Amino acid sequence: MRADRDTRSGGSTRPDARRRLPADPMIGRVLDARYEITDRIARGGMASVYEAHDLRLDRTVAVKVMHPGMGDDEAFASRFVREARAAAKLSHPNVVAVYDQGEDDGAVFLAMELVRGHTLRDTIAREAPMRPARALSLLEPVLAALAAAHRAGLVHRDIKPENVLISEETDGPTRVKVADFGLARAVTAETQHTSTGVLIGTVSYIAPELVIEGRADARADVYSVGVLLFELLTGRKPHAGETPIQVAYKHVHDDVPPPSHEVPGIPPYVDALVARATARATARDRDLRPADAGVLLHQVRRVANALAAGLADDPELTADLALPVHPAEEETEAYDVADWVRETDHEPTTAMRTAPPTRAAAPPVTPGGPAGPPVPRRPRRRRTGLVLRLVLALVLVAALAVGGWWLFEGRYTRTPALVGLTKAAATTRLHHAGLEAKVATAYSDTVPKGQVISSDPDREGKVLDGGTVTITVSRGVEEYAVPKLAGRSLDDAEQALATIKLEVGGPRKRWSETVPEGSVIRTTPKAGTVLRPGHTVTLYVSKGRQPITIGDWEHRDAAKAKATLEKRGLKVDLDYDYDDDVAKGDVVSQSPGAGTTLHRRDTVSLIVSKGPHLVVVPDVRGSGQGSATDELEKAGFKVEVDHYTPYFGLGFVMGQDHAGDKLPFGSTIHIYVS
């Protein structure tokens, strides 16, 4: 791709392109505190395209910046913004994606997908004329992109090889993408005609109705694709001229020739496809063209299938695509300006068809006259011929002048001053001027609500008699109330804020016992706060219930354990029991155990020690050995028997340990038997 490409907006780059570009003051600048300009890709008449780094999303993008002064006109800037928003809604794999639009210190810019590769112009230079199958394979993705645009109500109006980008992927398939959606329409509306009526801009692919009426629908894109197909097949454009006016003239008055006239061997059904797509609005009704790119895409696929089958001809397909012949289009012997142009080897101009001159009749020959012409009369015939030629030239000049005036001035009405009027007043003024009003609305920081911001065409701009002028009425300052987002998912909340052009701050994660994980807890500013587009709304998003990990409280003070756990939001259930090993008031055991994760209001059970279980030792002295043993064991003690000194073998308890004392349950008591 060459560095002098000046019409692309999608940013197609090649390493050697940047080295040939001069230094640019935009390099190094950061637009909107987000897009850091790193390299210039191309420079054109109205804008330059740069490679930039998106600091917010950490990605490489293409940024198209209008040249200084282009964005000063409020109507142009308003249309640029409106069309950029419309194009941003168009999501298709064969369309260069539009990411963002903005203005930074006078620099009006558009941020979009960066396509690394080359343009279709480069492919044409290398491969054209190319095989029909190859040509259609390049056109299919272009038509797929246009079909999506036409379904969305968008008309490109500037289809040309420079606006078709071909990626050079290293890790995937090569992709064809169409650039300049929306921007082409904004630029065309402002620059298609000058106040003098001279057609400017790209005319090699322009539809006839754009030349004649200055407006077009989806069929204009279909015409441009047909011209592009002719160029792919033949290696040249169907209409050529020394000036744009001459080329525009030929689009209006000349059919696109069959490509097989240039490249023999092209099947008739391919010729018919080109003819169908390029049916003119003059000699042929443009309604004979496919209604939109989707219809043409279907026809292209039928032709591609015939080519894949190796058919040299398919009469049925050719008949389906062929244009009907209108009697008014048959060639006649009438002498018109085109005849004069061809006979005199002049180049045609836009006005040359409007007022054909009258052919001068040849002087009659009298039968039976003298064999030799009289010598004295020769000078008179010579002078008569000169006079006739002079008269013919004067008539031609007058016809051209009148035709040119009618073509570029006479059939137009000037748009009255409308800016600042109310909608009703502007509509009334247009009706008085014999024009229809189409109303659009837009936000404005400077124009009060209900007043006209701009008109299309602008004041003193030309519009066909009885035509339509679009007035843009102010909706006032653009501002929105922060919606109620609590309880909604993060994705829903972000989408809701994006819809009203508010930036998302955060999200900041917080624990919540009531809001499910992933849902919005609250916003800052709060719901209902009125903000301008671009302001930031911070989202606080739930992480779910806060986990609480309990520690090891066994053999530790139960009162402290209860206070600590309750302070952390847990419930504590206490139970008490005797324990010989754990001091009274300490925790004997806990459930769940240490290290378990709980949540607020969950319950922890603690067993608290009541200390050892103490029992009064019965006094069994004087009792028989057997009964004494039974009584002590029944009280929960263990019994050991010792002989009393002197021992007589009588079996009576003469003494014992701890009679009447309190001892831990299960303690051992010694009795002494005589």
Side-chain angles (χ1 to χ4, degrees):
M1 183 187 70
R2 298 190 299 276
D4 59 354
R5 297 289 187 218
D6 60 4
T7 57
R8 298 185 308 279
S9 68
S12 177
T13 65
R14 200 172 67 183
D16 62 339
R18 288 177 234 147
R19 289 197 293 270
R20 295 198 295 269
L21 294 172
D24 190 313
M26 287 294 296
I27 304 300
R29 183 173 171 182
V30 178
L31 297 180
D32 199 25
R34 178 173 181 176
Y35 302 105
E36 182 181 8
I37 305 298
T38 56
D39 283 298
R40 191 174 78 198
I41 299 172
R43 178 178 176 84
M46 288 170 288
S48 291
V49 182
Y50 298 90
E51 183 175 321
H53 182 66
D54 184 344
L55 301 176
R56 186 176 302 168
L57 298 180
D58 190 24
R59 62 180 176 182
T60 302
V61 299
V63 174
K64 186 160 192 173
V65 183
M66 296 293 99
H67 289 167
M70 290 297 295
D72 294 343
D73 181 80
E74 184 177 351
F76 177 85
S78 176
R79 184 172 294 108
F80 177 78
V81 172
R82 183 168 63 251
E83 296 294 343
R85 288 175 180 171
K89 297 177 183 178
L90 186 59
S91 178
H92 191 275
N94 298 116
V95 174
V96 174
V98 175
Y99 298 144
D100 193 10
Q101 182 278 325
E103 186 270 340
D104 186 303
D105 194 21
V108 180
F109 68 89
L110 195 65
M112 63 198 73
E113 175 185 7
L114 178 68
V115 180
R116 300 191 182 277
H118 58 276
T119 70
L120 186 58
R121 174 64 65 203
D122 302 308
T123 300
I124 291 174
R126 291 194 304 266
E127 300 183 28
M130 59 184 67
R131 293 179 295 103
R134 169 63 171 161
L136 295 184
S137 70
L138 292 171
L139 277 192
E140 277 204 41
V142 175
L143 286 170
L146 289 175
H150 293 169
R151 287 193 298 270
L154 291 177
V155 181
H156 193 290
R157 302 205 296 183
D158 196 21
I159 291 297
K160 55 188 176 184
E162 289 78 6
N163 280 340
V164 178
L165 309 183
I166 302 175
S167 69
E168 295 176 348
E169 305 289 349
T170 59
D171 56 353
T174 298
R175 289 193 176 274
V176 177
K177 291 179 176 282
V178 179
D180 267 352
F181 269 102
L183 181 60
R185 183 175 184 182
V187 172
T188 302
E190 288 294 321
T191 64
Q192 191 63 52
H193 295 83
T194 68
S195 60
T196 61
V198 178
L199 187 67
I200 63 176
T202 304
V203 295
S204 294
Y205 309 89
I206 195 169
E209 56 267 30
L210 269 171
V211 179
I212 298 172
E213 303 172 9
R215 64 190 68 225
D217 56 19
R219 290 168 295 185
D221 288 345
V222 169
Y223 182 92
S224 300
V225 172
V227 173
L228 186 56
L229 176 56
F230 179 92
E231 186 175 6
L232 294 173
L233 293 170
T234 65
R236 72 170 187 85
K237 302 178 182 70
H239 301 313
E242 295 182 358
T243 66
I245 294 296
Q246 292 176 352
V247 177
Y249 172 92
K250 292 184 178 181
H251 278 290
V252 173
H253 295 289
D254 294 346
D255 288 332
V256 173
S260 62
H261 288 187
E262 296 288 329
V263 182
I266 290 179
Y269 51 83
V270 176
D271 283 345
L273 177 67
V274 174
R276 172 69 74 173
T278 58
R280 292 185 285 115
T282 51
R284 293 196 177 103
D285 189 345
R286 67 181 171 196
D287 287 339
L288 295 176
R289 284 186 223 148
D292 56 32
V295 178
L296 181 59
L297 179 59
H298 172 71
Q299 295 172 347
V300 163
R301 286 171 176 166
R302 289 184 64 192
V303 171
N305 290 336
L307 291 169
L311 299 180
D313 191 9
D314 185 336
E316 181 180 352
L317 177 57
T318 302
D320 286 347
L321 296 175
L323 292 167
V325 177
H326 292 190
E329 292 177 35
E330 298 294 339
E331 292 185 1
T332 69
E333 295 299 324
Y335 183 89
D336 63 6
V337 175
D339 297 326
W340 180 85
V341 169
R342 285 189 287 270
E343 291 174 8
T344 57
D345 198 30
H346 282 69
E347 288 292 340
T349 64
T350 306
M352 285 183 180
R353 279 275 184 177
T354 58
T358 303
R359 168 176 271 181
V365 179
T366 304
V375 175
R377 296 186 62 85
R378 287 183 181 174
R380 174 170 292 188
R381 287 200 299 271
R382 189 175 294 118
R383 286 196 300 271
T384 300
L386 291 174
V387 170
L388 288 175
R389 292 180 184 178
L390 178 59
V391 171
L392 177 61
L394 291 175
V395 171
L396 178 61
V397 169
L400 290 176
V402 173
W405 171 84
W406 179 85
L407 183 63
F408 294 114
E409 290 292 340
R411 60 191 180 132
Y412 290 99
T413 297
R414 295 289 179 176
T415 305
L418 302 172
V419 174
L421 298 180
T422 64
K423 171 186 172 182
T427 302
T428 300
R429 182 170 291 186
L430 286 172
H431 287 167
H432 287 166
L435 300 171
E436 296 294 325
K438 180 180 179 182
V439 179
T441 60
Y443 292 102
S444 174
D445 294 343
T446 57
V447 179
K449 184 177 181 180
Q451 293 186 7
V452 175
I453 301 171
S454 63
S455 65
D456 183 13
D458 293 334
R459 179 181 181 182
E460 293 301 311
K462 295 190 300 184
V463 59
L464 287 170
D465 293 340
T468 299
V469 174
T470 300
I471 57 173
T472 302
V473 179
S474 173
R475 298 172 65 181
V477 175
E478 186 175 12
E479 54 189 12
Y480 303 94
V482 176
K484 184 178 180 181
L485 302 175
R488 298 174 64 174
S489 69
L490 176 60
D491 288 343
D492 286 349
E494 289 178 339
Q495 181 61 41
L497 293 176
T499 300
I500 56 176
K501 306 169 189 175
L502 296 177
E503 298 290 332
V504 177
R508 298 183 180 179
K509 300 296 184 69
R510 296 290 187 271
W511 300 111
S512 175
E513 298 300 314
T514 57
V515 179
E517 182 179 358
S519 297
V520 176
I521 303 171
R522 59 185 174 87
T523 62
T524 301
K526 64 181 181 180
T529 305
V530 177
L531 300 175
R532 298 288 302 277
H535 278 69
T536 298
V537 176
T538 301
L539 299 177
Y540 292 85
V541 179
S542 173
K543 296 193 294 183
R545 299 179 66 188
Q546 183 175 7
I548 302 171
T549 303
I550 61 174
D552 185 359
W553 289 100
E554 293 184 1
H555 298 280
R556 298 173 65 183
D557 183 71
K560 183 177 180 181
K562 182 176 185 297
T564 301
L565 292 173
E566 287 179 342
K567 185 176 181 180
R568 299 183 68 183
L570 299 172
K571 296 180 180 180
V572 179
D573 185 13
L574 299 180
D575 197 6
Y576 296 86
D577 198 3
Y578 294 105
D579 193 285
D580 295 340
D581 300 320
V582 179
K584 182 179 181 180
D586 287 353
V587 176
V588 177
S589 64
Q590 65 182 62
S591 178
T596 303
T597 298
L598 302 177
H599 297 95
R600 291 176 62 86
R601 295 189 299 277
D602 286 350
T603 300
V604 177
S605 296
L606 300 178
I607 304 298
V608 182
S609 174
K610 294 167 60 175
H613 185 186
L614 299 178
V615 181
V616 176
V617 179
D619 186 354
V620 294
R621 288 174 292 185
S623 300
Q625 177 181 339
S627 61
T629 299
D630 291 341
E631 185 176 356
L632 288 172
E633 288 180 347
K634 187 177 181 180
F637 297 104
K638 297 176 181 178
V639 178
E640 287 192 5
V641 179
D642 293 324
H643 289 166
Y644 184 78
T645 303
Y647 177 69
F648 299 107
L650 298 177
F652 290 99
V653 176
M654 301 298 295
Q656 71 174 83
D657 295 337
H658 305 293
D661 295 339
K662 288 185 176 181
L663 294 180
F665 184 84
S667 298
T668 300
I669 303 298
H670 290 267
I671 60 174
Y672 301 95
V673 180
S674 64

